Amino acid sequence: MRGRLVGLLGSLVLLVVAGACSRSKEGAQQAGGSDAGGTQAAAQVARVKLALNWVPEPEFGGFYAARDQGAFKRHGLEVEILGGGVGVPVLQMVATGQVEFGIVGGDELLTARARGVDLIPLFAVYQTSPQAIMVHASRGAKGIQDVLSSGTIALEPGLPYAAWLKKKYGFDKVKVVPYDGGVAQFVTNKDFAQQCFITSEPIAARRQGADPVVFLVADEGFNPYSAVVVTRREMWKEQPERVKNFVAAVREGWRAYLDNPAPANAVMGKLNTTLDAETFAAAAQAQKPLIETEETRTQGLGFMSRTRWETLGRQLVELGLLEKAPAPDEFLLPEFTQAAGKGSP
Amino acid sequence: MRMSGLRRTFPGGVPVLQGMDLDVGAGSFVALVGPSGCGKSTLLRLVAGLDQPNAGTLTFSPPLDHTPGARTPIAYVFQDAHLLPWRSVLDNVALPLELAGVPAAERHASARAMLTQVGLGDATARYPAQLSGGMRMRVSLARALVTRPRLLLLDEPFAALDELTRHRLDDQLLALWKELGMTVLFVTHSLSEAAYLAERVVVLSRRPARVMLDRHLDLPSERLPALRADPGFAREMGLLFHALEQGDAA
Amino acid sequence: MKILREALAPLTALAILLVLWETVARVFSVSPIVLPPPSAIGLEASRAADTLLSGALSTGRSALLGFGLSTAVGVLAAIVLSSSRVLERALYPYALFLQMVPIIAIAPVLVVWFGHGARAVAVSSFIVSVFPVIANTHTGMRSVDPALRDMFRLYGARRVATLWKLELPASLPHLFTGLRVASGLSVVGAIVGEWVAGVVEGDAGLGILVLAANRQGNTARVFAAVLAASMLGLMLFGAVSLTGERMLRRWHPSASGS
């Protein structure tokens, strides 16, 4: 009996040690690689992984375009894109080095950093958060406040902007239920409202005959950067060129996608068969003003400003999700807050 | 009780009884012996009504009263005491009366009396798990007799007990029979037990069972333990054994 | 007391495990969003104690209701199934079906029938935990000593009397085996039910707390909530075991501790 207990604990220790060792081994490999990479940059192609935090949809179009239209290759990268879904732990995957790059929400990055996970943001796809509340037009709601005055609303538990709306308007007059990722309940019930991605659920609901009205959460004053590319600090320390190349390629890919989304949509359509080609096209169109703004025209696609990160930090502290707002200098690299090269859009 | 031409064939075509005739007088003590598997237990079950014959008749005089709720006229004692483990000794013995609808006070009193008669008057609150094999069998006997049955059927009841306990229970059974006067049909594979207990022994052959010997024993009516050493006892046993051997040789 | 002595061994193992876990987490700098050390979990648990407690009450209420339903319906179903071979053959596959269909798939249907809230969550808890009760009680009733059945028949016992005085008491040990399994499952069923059919505000259960903590990257709170759920299950299991012990103490070897 004692022997078995020791054996069990021993294997537990071995497991964690193995996990830790594999990480440090990877670090050594990367360090060794960068020495060689400097002299043979053009010839060597680096293999990296990018983890998405949802299924392939127009919100990731630029990444697929970068892969399939040669942007990554031109920058010496071979990128494997891992499609996500419900509950995929992108933060953990990047933090443990399972993948080199990942897509997360701005608020997620700050809460992870508060727990000592040193991830840094590189590129923000959405300048305006596509998160929204959709409600039936027949309810005559003029804004989110009206939506929260009666009926039922489906929200993901723990959503920061839900906390924001609760603080602003209160949830005592509405029944809050879990968001199930679809529109089935919405379509069948006129008193049902739900969270949505402006590029996604409203389009699906309309195709099923419903008449939704959409209110952006950003208009309520809570607007974190969304679909943010992040990587580990170690990755930046050991392979700065690779990271810069990745971001440059991503920027090119998004340019290409914004100009012509069709090829990438076709590729994503095969991976995500729940949406048809029309929906892909409609969503790609709907998200354009959220991605390309006045600021990106001067500063470049994916631009991130200190002010926006400061505001987000402050808001998360107000909501009780952070103890202290981190100074952007701690994680915002100057390389990624300025225009990437002259004249590039 | 009279059985005539009793036939029983088990599903699958195995004939166990092919025309058994037997007359048992009221108040008599009859032992049934025979080799294993010859059908003694089947016979007993047919008499009890736990099984139906394929042919033949079984009559009782006076006729049995089978109205639901009446005190059942037939009691059965199995080889295993088969007590309900979740009930106290008292409630186990009172069970037949309970199933007949007798109110609690009355049935508990009858049960207590019966338990005293078998020498377990101070064990009424115990549970079967706390009793020895012999004590459990005594409880089973008490349960069988609590309804004052007209006919008591016993199927090798003491076979699983040790010699000493068996002898004690043999005497206990005889005493109860003498006092209550019911008809007893006792199945056993022990010739000495049959000879010690019964007035009359029926020896059966191998399956399908035929009567090899039906003998009123020539032994004193008062059975004392010393009888087992008596030469008359040995003589009767010899006759029984001979019939048994013949019946098995077929 | 006997209970303390019995608890000593697993408690010591737990203490050793916690110390090891804390040491390993610190020494190897395991990422706190992957596996937080016990100290972080304990800290978070004390910080969020109010929320965890109300969550536990909410989930506990639904799980208890679901468990109660499983007991009642389970025993009734076992009685029906044991009453006739025809009924058994006809209905047993459906009981089995309830066990096999993943609750995540049924949960949206529960929302349609019962709306979001405690009722649907209790039904989810019931669906997940009922089958072991049915299966075990049914086996228990089928395993009644045939000689005892004969005796009841001999004494002219009616069907109800045989059921009440023989079959049900005889299957009590089996019933409690089923109840012990169902106790843990009822908590699992409640939590999974909350994910789809619960409410997020007002009466949020532990399942919702787990999702929220996960969404906010608070892995320590996720662990704390999971621990709270396990404790709920353990408490229910303990209550069932103790009741079983008391009821079977005098006559069944499984309870006598020998």
Side-chain angles (χ1 to χ4, degrees), chain B residues 45 72 82 85-86 98 143, chain C residues 145 150-151 155 165 169 251:
Chain B
R45 289 173 63 86
T72 19
H82 285 305
W86 55 85
E98 187 181 332
R143 176 180 65 193
Chain C
D145 189 348
D150 280 343
M151 193 186 53
Y155 288 121
K165 297 181 203 273
W251 61 276

Side-chain angles (χ1 to χ4, degrees), chain B residues 78-248:
Chain B
F78 304 83
Q79 182 174 331
D80 186 79
H82 285 305
L83 303 177
L84 303 183
W86 55 85
R87 283 179 168 230
S88 67
V89 163
L90 187 69
D91 283 324
N92 263 291
V93 174
L95 180 68
L97 299 177
E98 187 181 332
L99 293 176
V102 175
E106 194 187 322
R107 67 172 187 257
H108 283 156
S110 300
R112 205 157 298 168
M114 207 62 237
L115 279 165
T116 314
Q117 257 189 305
V118 299
L120 288 174
D122 54 353
T124 56
R126 295 217 232 149
Y127 279 74
Q130 301 165 300
L131 304 177
S132 69
M135 290 164 86
R136 266 182 261 160
M137 185 46 69
R138 277 191 276 161
V139 175
S140 182
L141 265 177
R143 176 180 65 193
L145 296 172
V146 78
T147 57
R148 297 288 191 271
R150 276 168 48 189
L151 177 61
L152 179 64
L153 307 171
L154 303 109
D155 190 355
E156 309 201 38
F158 310 141
L161 303 170
D162 65 276
E163 189 106 20
L164 218 54
T165 315
R166 222 183 313 144
H167 286 192
R168 284 206 201 104
L169 289 179
D170 284 339
D171 288 326
Q172 181 109 80
L173 181 61
L174 277 178
L176 288 165
W177 171 60
K178 288 232 161 66
E179 178 174 340
L180 301 171
M182 62 274 181
T183 313
V184 180
L185 210 52
F186 190 98
V187 164
T188 177
H189 60 245
S190 163
L191 291 181
S192 71
E193 192 173 42
Y196 184 76
L197 289 174
E199 304 171 311
R200 168 180 164 210
V201 177
V202 175
V203 181
L204 301 174
S205 71
R206 265 185 349 156
R207 192 198 290 169
R210 311 186 302 285
V211 174
M212 298 305 302
L213 177 65
D214 186 346
R215 178 176 172 77
H216 264 94
L217 298 179
D218 184 15
L219 294 172
S221 68
E222 195 184 353
R223 303 295 168 89
L224 297 167
L227 181 64
R228 289 195 176 92
D230 196 274
F233 190 78
R235 188 190 57 238
E236 291 296 332
M237 285 230 348
L239 290 169
L240 297 176
F241 188 71
H242 184 64
L244 192 65
E245 258 191 316
Q246 278 192 312
D248 196 43

Side-chain angles (χ1 to χ4, degrees), chain A residues 4-298:
Chain A
R4 251 193 273 158
L5 183 64
V6 172
L8 174 66
L9 293 174
S11 3
L12 242 155
V13 174
L14 270 164
L15 241 137
V16 184
V17 171
C21 279
S22 68
R23 264 195 301 132
S24 49
K25 233 193 286 163
E26 213 186 271
Q29 268 177 5
Q30 287 180 343
S34 70
D35 291 338
T39 49
Q40 302 174 339
Q44 242 188 15
V45 169
R47 284 219 175 92
V48 295
K49 297 201 183 108
L50 168 67
L52 308 178
N53 61 354
W54 195 242
V55 297
E57 277 187 356
E59 84 183 84
F60 306 115
F63 302 108
Y64 284 96
R67 183 190 69 180
D68 299 332
Q69 292 169 38
F72 283 132
K73 201 174 295 174
R74 279 195 293 278
H75 290 272
L77 294 164
E78 192 181 308
V79 179
E80 184 186 346
I81 303 181
L82 304 171
V86 182
V88 170
V90 177
L91 276 171
Q92 284 87 347
M93 285 161 78
V94 180
T96 56
Q98 256 184 64
V99 298
E100 286 77 12
F101 302 96
I103 311 291
V104 299
D107 56 276
E108 287 181 280
L109 175 66
L110 291 188
T111 49
R113 287 199 57 83
R115 300 189 209 289
V117 184
D118 199 356
L119 300 180
I120 51 176
L122 307 170
F123 183 99
V125 174
Y126 285 109
Q127 298 294 308
T128 307
S129 171
Q131 302 276 26
I133 302 291
M134 83 175 180
V135 65
H136 284 268
S138 55
R139 277 178 62 179
K142 298 281 180 295
I144 295 186
Q145 186 171 18
D146 291 339
V147 179
L148 295 176
S149 62
S150 68
T152 311
I153 185 168
L155 295 171
E156 202 186 324
L159 215 47
Y161 76 74
W164 180 262
L165 293 173
K166 181 176 181 184
K167 191 152 185 277
K168 202 168 174 187
Y169 299 120
F171 284 161
D172 29 291
K173 295 208 273 289
V174 68
K175 185 175 183 183
V176 185
V177 300
Y179 164 66
D180 64 3
V183 297
Q185 286 184 81
F186 180 82
V187 170
T188 53
N189 180 359
K190 289 265 162 21
D191 289 318
F192 196 87
Q194 65 172 79
Q195 76 180 58
C196 65
F197 232 54
I198 198 172
T199 58
S200 182
E201 283 90 338
I203 300 175
R206 263 181 218 116
R207 311 213 62 226
Q208 292 190 39
D211 187 17
V213 171
V214 181
F215 299 111
L216 276 180
V217 174
D219 292 338
E220 297 292 333
F222 188 79
N223 188 13
Y225 283 121
S226 205
V228 180
V229 181
V230 298
T231 189
R232 290 191 302 154
R233 172 85 61 180
E234 289 99 320
M235 179 76 178
W236 171 248
K237 284 211 187 101
E238 288 153 11
Q239 303 278 12
E241 289 307 313
R242 194 172 295 176
V243 176
K244 279 199 254 190
N245 287 335
F246 187 84
V247 177
V250 162
R251 193 166 285 127
E252 282 178 34
W254 271 103
R255 180 74 267 152
Y257 183 76
L258 286 169
D259 291 338
N260 179 18
N265 280 350
V267 170
M268 290 192 290
K270 284 207 204 81
L271 296 168
N272 175 14
T273 54
T274 62
L275 302 177
D276 60 14
E278 267 181 55
T279 316
F280 262 98
Q285 191 62 28
Q287 72 179 8
K288 270 191 174 167
L290 304 173
I291 299 177
E292 193 158 27
T293 64
E294 293 287 328
E295 220 170 4
T296 64
R297 274 180 247 277
T298 51

